[in-house]
Amino acid sequence: MGKNYVFGDVMIGKEEIQKRVSELGKEISRDYKDDSIVAICVLKGAVIFISDLIREINVDTKIDFMAVSSYGATTQSTGVVRILKDLDSDIEGENVLIVEDIIDTGLTLKYLKEYLLARKPKSLKICTLLDKPERRTADVKADYVGFTIENKFIVGYGLDFDERYRNLPYISYLEEE
Ligand code: IMP
Ligand code: MG
């Protein structure tokens, strides 16, 4: 790429993430009271978030995983969505909750949503840790949003740059040098 990236400050700290994830879990538990959820983790970015989130949910919850193509070693979206791994379970008649790390252009989620709706779930909602509304090109909205953020390239707490930094316990960002 020929570009160098440097770390910005901590954007959202560990405690702040924990507090917000707990709030989201409570809200989701209230909304699905006496019902059940199939939470779908969009690999790999949402893996940390969903792990914390489902432990804050106190209704009957199953999880399943999907993998779709991502950006690779660049910070630009190609707009191409490919299913790399499909669900293991049948979601017909289930309350599906897609759990995402971030909504950027929205292209991935718009595609996923239509793809999953074709399987006739009872309901389908979207929960995203981060939302970058400024970058939206596809018409898609999340039902649960952890944090609405400005247009920066985020790393940490599951989010990567070229597969690295997912293990950071806080949310930071990269800037061009
Ligand atoms: P979208 O289709 O543009 O909404 O974004 C698709 C995927 O790109 C997200 O689920 C993330 O995995 C990845 N992505 C988007 N923005 C960022 C970012 O700022 N940091 C890391 N990954 C990102
Ligand atoms: Mg993702």
Side-chain angles (χ1 to χ4, degrees), residues 71 100-102 104-108 132 152-154 160:
Y71 301 170
E100 254 288 27
D101 52 355
I102 190 165
D104 188 33
T105 62
L107 289 166
T108 309
K132 272 198 276 195
K152 289 188 185 300
F153 192 82
I154 304 299
D160 73 304

Side-chain angles (χ1 to χ4, degrees), residues 16-17 25 30 38 40 44 56 63 73 78 84 87 90 98-100 114 124 134 136 138 142 148 154 166:
E16 202 181 340
I17 298 171
R30 235 182 286 126
V38 179
I40 296 179
K44 301 169 190 169
E56 302 290 341
I63 63 169
T78 57
L84 305 177
L87 297 176
D90 181 12
I98 303 177
V99 180
E100 254 288 27
E114 275 154 27
L124 188 142
E134 218 181 291
R136 196 68 33 85
T148 301
I154 304 299
R166 295 192 196 276

Side-chain angles (χ1 to χ4, degrees), residues 62-125:
K62 293 184 203 166
I63 63 169
D64 205 339
F65 298 88
M66 279 193 81
V68 296
S69 58
S70 65
Y71 301 170
T74 142
T75 56
Q76 291 302 304
S77 176
T78 57
V80 179
V81 179
R82 259 189 324 134
I83 306 284
L84 305 177
K85 187 224 168 286
D86 210 329
L87 297 176
D88 294 330
S89 55
D90 181 12
I91 56 163
E92 188 174 339
E94 303 280 0
N95 294 308
V96 169
L97 182 66
I98 303 177
V99 180
E100 254 288 27
D101 52 355
I102 190 165
I103 311 181
D104 188 33
T105 62
L107 289 166
T108 309
L109 261 184
K110 189 179 164 57
Y111 181 87
L112 259 188
K113 199 178 160 181
E114 275 154 27
Y115 185 81
L116 294 175
L117 278 174
R119 300 194 184 169
K120 302 188 168 41
K122 181 175 162 194
S123 67
L124 188 142
K125 284 190 180 183

Side-chain angles (χ1 to χ4, degrees), residues 159-175:
L159 289 104
D160 73 304
F161 173 66
D162 200 14
E163 295 301 326
R164 298 170 76 191
Y165 315 123
R166 295 192 196 276
N167 59 313
L168 295 176
Y170 52 84
I171 290 166
S172 184
Y173 58 94
L174 297 181
E175 287 178 317

